[in-house]
Amino acid sequence: MSGTKKVILIVEDEQQNRKLIRDVLQLKGYRTIEAVNGVEGVEMAKQYKPDLILMDVQLPVMDGIEATRIIKEDNITQTIPVVAITAYAMPGDKERVLNAGCTDYISKPVHIKELLSRVADYLEERNTESSTANHHE
Ligand code: MN
């Protein structure tokens, strides 16, 4: 991985899940920071302005839906992509997550391949967007 490491904020209250996500992302060369509830997630997003946020939906103090709404209403943090991590599988839940401003979502249990490909999508998209748009070979 070249250049400055991308920073990913993991907002997740379950310790085992947080460790899994952290280990996988660090192994891939990303920097990670962590929050364990929605309020802390909002504060850390503002303070560190990460390149991407992975947001668990079910969180204590403030859930991931509300935290995402606040992040998306704040000028400082609104451009940061938020990928929700949700245990819900109903069609209405996807809508709820996307309506709050999440860019996308992955479902629990977290599959490592899916997690990494989604993370790569959003982190690399912003760098390669203009160059790929100009290359039709
Ligand atoms: Mn949770």
Side-chain angles (χ1 to χ4, degrees), residues 12-14 56 58-59 108:
E12 166 64 271
D13 60 316
E14 292 154 59
D56 183 28
Q58 287 183 291
L59 291 168
K108 280 187 174 181

Coordinates of all heavy atoms in Angstrom, one line a residue, residues 12-14 56 58-59 108, ligand 1:
E12 N -18.7 0.1 16.8 CA -19.2 -1.3 17.1 C -19.1 -1.5 18.6 O -18.1 -1.3 19.2 CB -18.4 -2.3 16.3 CG -18.5 -3.7 16.6 CD -19.9 -4.3 16.4 OE1 -20.8 -4.2 17.3 OE2 -20.2 -4.8 15.3
D13 N -20.2 -1.9 19.2 CA -20.2 -2.2 20.6 C -19.8 -3.6 21.0 O -19.4 -3.8 22.2 CB -21.6 -1.9 21.2 CG -22.7 -2.7 20.6 OD1 -22.7 -2.9 19.4 OD2 -23.5 -3.3 21.4
E14 N -19.8 -4.5 20.1 CA -19.5 -5.9 20.4 C -18.0 -6.1 20.2 O -17.4 -5.9 19.1 CB -20.2 -6.9 19.5 CG -21.7 -6.9 19.8 CD -22.5 -7.4 18.6 OE1 -22.3 -8.5 18.2 OE2 -23.4 -6.6 18.2
D56 N -22.0 0.1 13.0 CA -23.0 -0.9 13.5 C -24.3 -0.2 13.7 O -24.4 1.0 14.1 CB -22.5 -1.4 14.8 CG -23.4 -2.5 15.4 OD1 -24.1 -3.2 14.6 OD2 -23.4 -2.7 16.6
Q58 N -27.1 -1.4 15.6 CA -27.5 -1.6 17.0 C -26.4 -1.2 18.0 O -25.5 -2.0 18.2 CB -28.0 -3.0 17.3 CG -29.3 -3.3 16.6 CD -29.8 -4.7 16.9 OE1 -29.2 -5.7 16.5 NE2 -30.9 -4.8 17.7
L59 N -26.5 0.0 18.6 CA -25.5 0.5 19.5 C -26.2 1.1 20.7 O -27.3 1.6 20.7 CB -24.7 1.6 18.8 CG -23.8 1.3 17.6 CD1 -23.4 2.6 16.9 CD2 -22.6 0.5 18.0
K108 N -24.6 -8.6 9.0 CA -24.0 -9.5 10.0 C -24.5 -10.9 9.9 O -25.7 -11.0 9.5 CB -24.3 -9.0 11.4 CG -23.5 -7.8 11.8 CD -23.8 -7.5 13.3 CE -22.8 -6.4 13.8 NZ -23.0 -6.1 15.2
Ligands
MN1 MN -24.2 -3.8 18.1

